[in-house]
Amino acid sequence: MKRIFDISEPDRDIIASLREKIDNLTKPKGSLGQLEEIATQIGWIQQSLNPELCKPHNILFAADHGILDEGVSVSPKEVTLQQLLHFGRGGAGINFLCDQHGFELVLVDAGVDSPDPMPKGILNMKLRRGTRNFLHEAAMTHEEFEKGIDCGAQVVDKVYARGCNIVSFGEMGSGNTSSSSMWMHYFTGIGLDRCVGAGAGLAKSGVQHKFEVLSRARDNYQGDASPESIMAWFGGYELVMAVGGMLRAAELGMIIIVDGFIMTNCILAASRLYPNVLLYAIFGHQGDESGHKAVLDYLGAKPLLNLSLRLGEGSGAVCAYPIIQSAVKMINEMDSFRNVPVTKYF
């Protein structure tokens, strides 16, 4: 059954009051740059002159991809399962970042190619043991696509019930930059050659092979060119669940911190279903994957960081969180010229 989301645009009447408050903080007008923009956006989303950040969560979906059979990644399929279990044990990159910045990490098996039950601490939402090979057929059925959207929304419901109002999304799935590149190409019209990059570390010849495989997959596409068809034909279960999670987060009025190339293409895809989802997004960083800057520019996004990251997992989004905290602290904790004996200066 298709899930319908009600994602409204927050009332803009409060924006003038937010800007007035920020402009009267004890600083030259506009001198805190992007922090001022973030504080305005969060206050607008929350409809509050005193916005707050509560219980941040990073939701990480993992799944395998049939297109991996075509040699489009240096990462073998077994790495998806191995890394998901590694996340559960606490020793990966996203683990120390979540610990450092106070994030709860939620792990979800969206479609890992393993017959074994996942250990405690990993949510079982497996749709299938990996997608089909989209070079030859749709990666997933329409029913799997709709269930994936709903599963992602359900996970967000869980963290929202814990009091979370700001969420980031991560992924693990060998080969998933191929799906992301296809979504980017179809949803932006940018040439496929500019959408395809090295992923986990392909050499130049490997990138060329990947481009050739994806070009053939585009030629073989037999869908109706609707957003749902494109997402189902070329997508991954973890990516579709992330889309569902983003849509539900926006529906609930939560702040979404967008991670790297893959998650940027997920919110791009989500916006093809519900454009207002972008109003709730803060873009964490610009990564090193070829195509990320191009899709950010297409969206008019202003990423907070540029640290040459290409790990995924939600790492760049979590790294950006302290900047978002600074924006909220600014609007809540700085004095106003109205309250202190400092002459207003510009």
Side-chain angles (χ1 to χ4, degrees):
M1 182 176 177
K2 183 175 182 178
R3 180 153 185 163
I4 304 298
F5 297 89
D6 180 14
I7 303 175
S8 60
E9 179 177 345
D11 189 337
R12 289 187 172 272
D13 288 347
I14 198 173
I15 292 178
S17 297
L18 285 162
R19 288 176 176 161
E20 181 183 18
K21 180 178 181 180
I22 292 169
D23 288 347
N24 280 287
L25 299 176
T26 51
K27 59 175 181 58
K29 183 178 178 180
S31 61
L32 282 175
Q34 208 166 340
L35 294 186
E36 300 185 21
E37 296 174 19
I38 296 166
T40 302
Q41 181 184 4
I42 295 174
W44 173 47
I45 290 169
Q46 297 184 356
Q47 294 289 290
S48 173
L49 297 179
N50 299 99
E52 59 181 354
L53 306 175
C54 301
K55 298 185 178 179
H57 282 63
N58 183 63
I59 301 171
L60 194 158
F61 299 101
D64 281 303
H65 290 250
I67 193 66
L68 202 66
D69 293 344
E70 305 302 323
V72 294
S73 175
V74 296
S75 298
K77 182 179 287 187
E78 61 266 23
V79 169
T80 304
L81 173 61
Q82 292 167 353
Q83 274 292 82
L84 179 59
L85 297 176
H86 188 41
F87 300 147
R89 292 190 292 267
I94 193 58
N95 296 104
F96 85 80
L97 289 169
C98 285
D99 182 65
Q100 178 184 1
H101 298 301
F103 275 66
E104 187 77 24
L105 177 61
V106 179
L107 302 173
V108 183
D109 175 4
V112 177
D113 187 7
S114 171
D116 301 322
M118 292 295 165
K120 184 178 179 180
I122 299 175
L123 294 177
N124 177 22
M125 291 187 160
K126 192 193 300 284
L127 297 178
R128 187 175 181 269
R129 288 176 53 183
T131 56
R132 299 158 188 86
N133 184 344
F134 67 69
L135 177 61
H136 306 296
E137 60 181 320
M140 65 189 76
T141 65
H142 177 74
E143 291 73 22
E144 289 167 349
F145 168 78
E146 294 295 351
K147 187 174 180 181
I149 293 289
D150 187 62
C151 285
Q154 288 180 41
V155 181
V156 168
D157 281 335
K158 292 178 186 292
V159 304
Y160 182 76
R162 299 173 189 169
C164 170
N165 73 354
I166 181 165
V167 63
S168 58
F169 297 91
E171 40 62 40
M172 180 63 217
S174 296
N176 59 13
T177 59
S178 292
S179 291
S180 301
S181 295
M182 297 303 290
W183 283 8
M184 176 181 168
H185 172 61
Y186 275 97
F187 293 141
T188 67
I190 295 171
L192 186 58
D193 58 327
R194 295 181 58 201
C195 303
V196 176
L202 287 170
K204 186 176 181 180
S205 60
V207 175
Q208 179 60 32
H209 171 71
K210 181 178 176 181
F211 169 72
E212 292 170 356
V213 169
L214 298 188
S215 296
R216 285 158 46 210
R218 178 185 57 191
D219 294 342
N220 293 341
Y221 172 57
Q222 298 174 29
D224 62 10
S226 66
E228 293 88 347
S229 171
I230 291 165
M231 292 164 69
W233 192 283
F234 298 108
Y237 296 132
E238 81 279 32
L239 308 187
V240 168
M241 286 193 192
V243 169
M246 290 172 175
L247 293 173
R248 180 57 174 154
E251 184 176 39
L252 291 168
M254 300 170 73
I255 300 146
I256 302 164
I257 317 176
V258 183
D259 191 42
F261 177 71
I262 295 167
M263 288 298 108
T264 301
N265 281 294
C266 283
I267 203 157
L268 167 67
S271 73
R272 288 297 180 266
L273 303 175
Y274 296 88
N276 280 347
V277 70
L278 291 170
L279 303 177
Y280 297 83
I282 296 173
F283 291 82
H285 77 114
Q286 178 186 313
D288 257 10
E289 174 67 11
S290 175
H292 194 198
K293 183 179 187 304
V295 69
L296 288 169
D297 289 346
Y298 176 86
L299 290 167
K302 295 174 67 175
L304 300 183
L305 302 173
N306 188 340
L307 301 176
S308 300
L309 303 178
R310 55 183 180 88
L311 177 63
E313 304 173 9
S315 54
V318 176
C319 277
Y321 181 65
I323 296 175
I324 300 169
Q325 284 183 303
S326 293
V328 170
K329 282 184 169 290
M330 175 202 72
I331 195 172
N332 287 330
E333 298 181 14
M334 277 188 76
D335 284 324
S336 170
F337 284 115
R338 295 191 178 97
N339 303 325
V340 296
V342 176
T343 300
K344 190 171 184 178
Y345 63 107
F346 297 92

